[in-house]
Amino acid sequence: MSTRKIEILVGLFVAIAVGAFLILALKVANTGFAGSGDTYTLYAEFENIGGLKARSPIKVGGVVVGRVAAIELDKNYYTPRVRLEISRQYDNFPETSSVVILTSGLLGEQYLGIQPGFIDETVHILKDGDMIEDTRSAMVLEELIGQFLFNRD
Amino acid sequence: MVLKQLQRMGAATIHTIAGLGRAGLMLLGAIIGKPSFRKGAPLLLKQLYVVGVLSLLIIVVSGLFIGMVLALQGYTVLVKFGAEQMLGPLVALSLLRELGPVVTALLFAGRAGSALTAEIGLMKATEQLSSMEMMAVDPLRRIIAPRFWAGVISMPLLAIIFTAVGILGGHLVGVDWLGVDAGGYWSAMQANVDLYQDVFNGIIKSIVFAFIVMWIALHKGFDAIPTSEGISRATTETVVTASLAVLAFDFILTALMFGG
Amino acid sequence: MGIVPALLNSRFICNMENTLSDFIVDIQNMSFSRGDNLIYDRMNMTVAQGKVTAIMGPSGIGKTTLLKLIGGQLKPDSGDILFRGRSIPKMNRSELYQTRKDMSMLFQSGALFSEMSVFDNVAFPIREHTKLPESLIKIMVLMKLEAVGLRGARDLMPAELSGGMARRAALARAIALDPQLIMYDEPFAGQDPISMGIVVKLIRALNNALGLTSVVVSHDVTEVMSIADYVYVVAEKHVIGEGTPEQLRQHESPLVQQFLKGEADGAVPFHYKAAPYADELMELL
Ligand SMILES: Nc1ncnc2c1ncn2[C@@H]1O[C@H](COP(=O)(O)OP(=O)(O)OP(=O)(O)O)[C@@H](O)[C@H]1O
Ligand SMILES: [Mg+2]
């Protein structure tokens, strides 16, 4: 086996691996909101976060706009405090917006849904570091069924 | 009687620790010290071919079949809950997090690891390693190091290929055969698979497994009793020990990465 | 051939520091055992610079072991082994590797690298230790292969060689870099009379032309006696007889005489240590 042939085959092997990685990175995984430069942060406190996890998606009307960056427990009131990382692209949510924990499908993972509120002169637009006051456990039917089925506590 | 048991236990412990010590020294000797690019690169290339390229076929074929089986099994369960749109995430996550790294490591231990053990054991038995030492060429650098690095580089690449082929295999069965919506297959996958959490963690697992498998394979060969029986035993030990070690470390890594 | 002077030159410089001693190897009170099996018990031996020193002794007595001790692959239990005045067992790893560049060893099994062709095997030490261009390496390798009569076999793989050819190829590799000390473990084994003659002449010629020192381990009494300047006969963990071939023939020790004449029964037992044969057979009945 000549060195040249080995070089070509090894090069091909590496090229296939790079191609496979690109498939995984671009087609399989969600690469959006990976970086930190193009996001801003909001906070929200919930009674109960259920199955929400760090890196769960944040959706508006089904469109992913960000990810849950971290979940901490407030030391004074023992309420879960969720840090939301939202794309700079969507930086005009009014402070009247509400956040809901939703479940995708019957058995799916939980995610955050933002419902944009109304806007008038007295309402501010949420900025980096602001707190979304209006948080609710899901009011959607599928979530109620989900609670009935799995969280009978 | 008790004393005898105790003595045997002590002897076994000492034996094990001495073995670990020799293995550690071997690894240190092989990977420490500056590699010479002029001499090292062709050797590494040759081993990348032997260890990586020659393992490609078995990896692609197994990846394809495992992806197809996953899709078939997953579909029959998911369809009962009307959740067949979750087939994509099921296939992708099982492959990325577990099956890709683990099955690749197991196949690699069987295909390349055992071959390396036998090769090095035979080199030892025929005094090739000794004579190299007498020529003032360190066999750890010349023989062990290129093989070690070739394995550590190849295995993650093979695991990535395995996973990608498996996902395509899942697509083949799930979408083309069982009729899951193609758009749903990919979009549900994208919604649930995270580049860092899932893809990178899988690759990290694979790198750890590569270290383990290569270390065990090379050490078993290097430490083999230089007879045909000793070499055949070392080869078996490589496959058994490496497989068990991979599974054990998989549990530990899974607990660390996804358990919290 | 610009490189030959260069090689000679480097040897000359190396020699400067050792002109004090005539002995390139000096084994002092060395003891060595494999497990419980004591192989050498306070043994002394010297190898004179520029001479052919032969070591003879019954099979399994530890001749190969002795060469490995000199090469630093084994460490003696006690005593010392000096190479050009420096203690081999006390050297650290890098010193030892540096020292080994000045010696070379023909292994009893040949130990050719099985994944390389004969040519690459002989070129291996040259490529590892010099930065010579490939064209020069080719000339050097072909010269060495020509010397052992294997120039035509350069593209064969070791598995395709006969036992005797493999040993000659290994010999070519051992002399590739013209080291100061060459240790031959059984260089004559498996050679037909013609190639045996070639090998004998080659060892002698290397010694005379380049001033190398050779240590030859062999059972072939006639060949050894014909090329050796000094002979050691090893048995029973010691040197039992030494001297020039002429002195050795006159040696009064019955053990030495038995070995030189190849008598089955005599002072040196032919058998590995064992219970008396008759006793063991009786037990089995
Ligand atoms: N790796 C080893 N482990 C344990 N004992 C060994 C080993 N190698 C050799 N021995 C023992 O050491 C003794 C000397 O062996 P050595 O190979 O040096 O003999 P030798 O003189 O070269 O014999 P021969 O002429 O047959 O080549 C033998 O009794 C052998 O049993
Ligand atoms: Mg021997």
Side-chain angles (χ1 to χ4, degrees):
Chain A
M1 181 74 72
S2 72
T3 316
R4 201 179 129 74
K5 206 164 159 194
I6 289 179
E7 278 169 1
I8 291 172
L9 285 170
V10 170
L12 207 66
F13 168 51
V14 175
I16 293 173
V18 169
F21 179 76
L22 288 180
I23 291 180
L24 294 186
L26 299 179
K27 205 156 162 63
V28 172
N30 192 322
T31 38
F33 316 109
S36 50
D38 55 351
T39 62
Y40 68 105
T41 306
L42 295 178
Y43 292 93
E45 282 181 352
F46 292 89
E47 289 281 299
N48 188 338
I49 53 148
L52 197 70
K53 289 194 214 69
R55 305 213 64 80
S56 293
I58 302 165
K59 298 182 184 179
V60 177
V63 178
V64 179
V65 298
R67 299 214 159 246
V68 172
I71 301 171
E72 292 137 17
L73 200 59
D74 185 303
K75 286 231 178 68
N76 295 324
Y77 303 104
Y78 292 100
T79 49
R81 187 180 155 90
V82 176
R83 185 146 60 88
L84 288 68
E85 243 170 32
I86 298 176
S87 166
R88 277 263 172 242
Q89 219 181 322
Y90 310 104
D91 59 354
N92 54 346
F93 292 111
E95 62 178 355
T96 50
S97 304
S98 57
V99 209
V100 195
I101 298 178
L102 297 164
T103 309
S104 60
L106 208 51
L107 303 166
E109 283 200 308
Q110 288 188 299
Y111 65 94
L112 277 187
I114 300 183
Q115 286 165 354
F118 62 89
I119 307 180
D120 62 27
E121 306 82 70
T122 59
V123 174
H124 294 289
I125 296 296
L126 288 168
K127 297 188 307 294
D128 191 40
D130 281 353
M131 172 83 78
I132 303 178
E133 304 292 345
D134 188 3
T135 65
R136 270 170 292 162
S137 291
M139 297 246 293
V140 202
L141 184 67
E142 64 183 77
E143 213 267 343
L144 282 176
I145 297 170
Q147 273 195 342
F148 177 70
L149 282 177
F150 301 112
N151 301 348
R152 263 185 288 178
D153 45 18
Chain B
M1 191 56 203
V2 175
L3 219 61
K4 212 172 201 170
Q5 288 290 337
L6 212 64
Q7 184 204 349
R8 202 175 299 159
M9 229 163 82
T13 313
I14 291 171
H15 185 78
T16 312
I17 291 176
L20 277 176
R22 280 200 306 275
L25 282 181
M26 184 207 77
L27 190 68
L28 283 183
I31 66 182
I32 283 186
K34 67 169 172 47
S36 138
F37 185 77
R38 184 176 71 89
K39 283 179 196 153
L43 294 175
L44 182 66
L45 202 75
K46 169 106 194 290
Q47 291 308 318
L48 276 174
Y49 172 76
V50 173
V51 165
V53 176
L54 293 184
S55 302
L56 199 55
L57 187 67
I58 184 176
I59 290 294
V60 167
V61 173
S62 334
L64 192 70
F65 278 117
I66 287 197
M68 297 199 317
V69 167
L70 265 181
L72 203 54
Q73 291 281 17
Y75 181 81
T76 53
V77 175
L78 288 174
V79 81
K80 284 187 192 151
F81 299 95
E84 63 267 32
Q85 78 277 5
M86 292 303 278
L87 187 65
L90 177 100
V91 171
L93 289 179
S94 350
L95 280 168
L96 282 166
R97 291 180 172 185
E98 290 297 332
L99 293 173
V102 172
V103 177
T104 303
L106 296 181
L107 290 172
F108 194 82
R111 162 71 184 69
S114 59
L116 284 174
T117 304
E119 184 190 15
I120 293 186
L122 206 63
M123 281 185 161
K124 183 179 180 185
T126 53
E127 293 192 298
Q128 293 181 42
L129 297 183
S130 270
S131 76
M132 194 173 277
E133 245 178 55
M134 280 305 294
M135 283 181 229
V137 176
D138 188 349
L140 289 178
R141 300 261 175 81
R142 187 65 170 57
I143 301 289
I144 302 292
R147 285 166 175 74
F148 182 81
W149 290 119
V152 170
I153 294 170
S154 298
M155 185 149 28
L157 299 185
L158 290 170
I160 289 170
I161 295 172
F162 182 97
T163 306
V165 170
I167 289 171
L168 295 180
H171 185 277
L172 212 63
V173 167
V175 176
D176 300 335
W177 181 22
L178 298 172
V180 174
D181 176 51
Y185 184 81
W186 293 111
S187 67
M189 212 186 278
Q190 282 186 2
N192 285 280
V193 175
D194 184 78
L195 187 65
Y196 291 91
Q197 176 78 10
D198 300 316
V199 179
F200 285 175
N201 272 347
I203 294 174
I204 290 171
K205 267 190 178 182
S206 189
I207 293 172
V208 173
F209 296 162
F211 263 91
I212 295 169
V213 171
M214 291 315 290
W215 188 14
I216 290 175
L218 294 174
H219 174 252
K220 290 282 178 202
F222 201 68
D223 219 31
I225 300 162
T227 59
S228 44
E229 197 224 347
I231 293 169
S232 86
R233 197 163 65 214
T235 313
T236 315
E237 276 176 10
T238 290
V239 178
V240 173
T241 318
S243 303
L244 291 180
V246 163
L247 294 174
F249 269 86
D250 182 48
F251 174 72
I252 296 171
L253 289 174
T254 306
L256 288 178
M257 288 170 171
F258 307 109
Chain C
M1 289 300 296
I3 54 138
V4 170
L7 284 174
L8 290 174
N9 223 349
S10 68
R11 173 161 311 108
F12 179 66
I13 294 166
C14 291
N15 273 347
M16 293 289 284
E17 57 194 52
N18 309 294
T19 42
L20 303 168
S21 164
D22 299 338
F23 298 127
I24 189 161
V25 178
D26 191 351
I27 300 176
Q28 301 171 340
N29 268 323
M30 188 265 299
S31 300
F32 179 76
S33 52
R34 290 240 192 221
D36 297 335
N37 184 5
L38 187 64
I39 293 180
Y40 287 113
D41 187 16
R42 282 171 315 220
M43 199 263 270
N44 290 290
M45 185 183 278
T46 52
V47 175
Q49 173 90 47
K51 296 274 169 13
V52 177
T53 303
I55 300 171
M56 294 198 289
S59 176
I61 210 71
K63 301 181 298 297
T64 303
T65 309
L66 182 62
L67 296 188
K68 288 192 172 170
L69 281 160
I70 296 174
Q73 292 197 309
L74 299 171
K75 288 221 185 309
D77 301 338
S78 64
D80 211 347
I81 299 169
L82 303 179
F83 178 75
R84 292 190 321 211
R86 298 184 56 213
S87 166
I88 295 261
K90 295 204 187 79
M91 282 182 190
N92 65 27
R93 200 180 157 73
S94 64
E95 285 172 332
L96 189 58
Y97 269 89
Q98 205 54 43
T99 308
R100 280 182 187 155
K101 288 184 186 169
D102 294 333
M103 41 170 105
S104 107
M105 179 162 164
L106 170 67
F107 277 70
Q108 198 165 0
S109 61
L112 291 171
F113 302 131
S114 45
E115 92 270 31
M116 296 178 197
S117 69
V118 169
F119 183 94
D120 289 333
N121 260 289
V122 180
F124 181 85
I126 311 177
R127 286 185 181 141
E128 285 294 324
H129 293 311
T130 69
K131 290 198 167 81
L132 297 176
E134 202 57 28
S135 57
L136 255 181
I137 292 179
K138 185 157 187 191
I139 295 172
M140 289 173 77
V141 172
L142 290 182
M143 274 166 53
K144 303 295 174 188
L145 283 175
E146 174 70 23
V148 297
L150 285 180
R151 193 164 47 83
R154 70 189 115 164
D155 292 325
L156 297 183
M157 296 304 278
E160 299 167 313
L161 300 178
S162 73
M165 284 160 82
R167 193 178 299 272
R168 273 186 285 152
L171 178 59
R173 187 179 65 180
I175 61 177
L177 274 180
D178 301 332
Q180 295 192 38
L181 171 69
I182 311 189
M183 297 180 274
Y184 306 89
D185 197 352
E186 306 280 359
F188 312 123
Q191 303 298 335
D192 62 75
I194 299 170
S195 50
M196 175 115 76
I198 293 173
V199 173
V200 170
K201 272 201 213 99
L202 188 68
I203 293 175
R204 194 69 251 181
L206 281 169
N207 223 76
N208 294 347
L210 295 169
L212 311 183
T213 308
S214 313
V215 175
V216 182
V217 165
S218 179
H219 300 299
D220 297 272
V221 177
T222 23
E223 279 70 31
V224 168
M225 293 304 228
S226 72
I227 57 166
D229 297 307
Y230 204 80
V231 182
Y232 287 93
V233 180
V234 184
E236 297 178 334
K237 310 173 179 55
H238 294 287
V239 174
I240 56 165
E242 60 179 286
T244 61
E246 220 26 67
Q247 288 170 332
L248 218 55
R249 285 205 186 86
Q250 319 296 329
H251 207 280
E252 75 276 10
S253 159
L255 290 79
V256 174
Q257 288 305 328
Q258 183 210 346
F259 192 80
L260 294 185
K261 301 208 178 83
E263 289 155 359
D265 276 316
V268 179
F270 159 68
H271 297 283
Y272 195 86
K273 61 186 173 203
Y277 190 41
D279 291 2
E280 200 157 341
L281 283 182
M282 286 309 286
E283 262 173 47
L284 293 173
L285 288 175

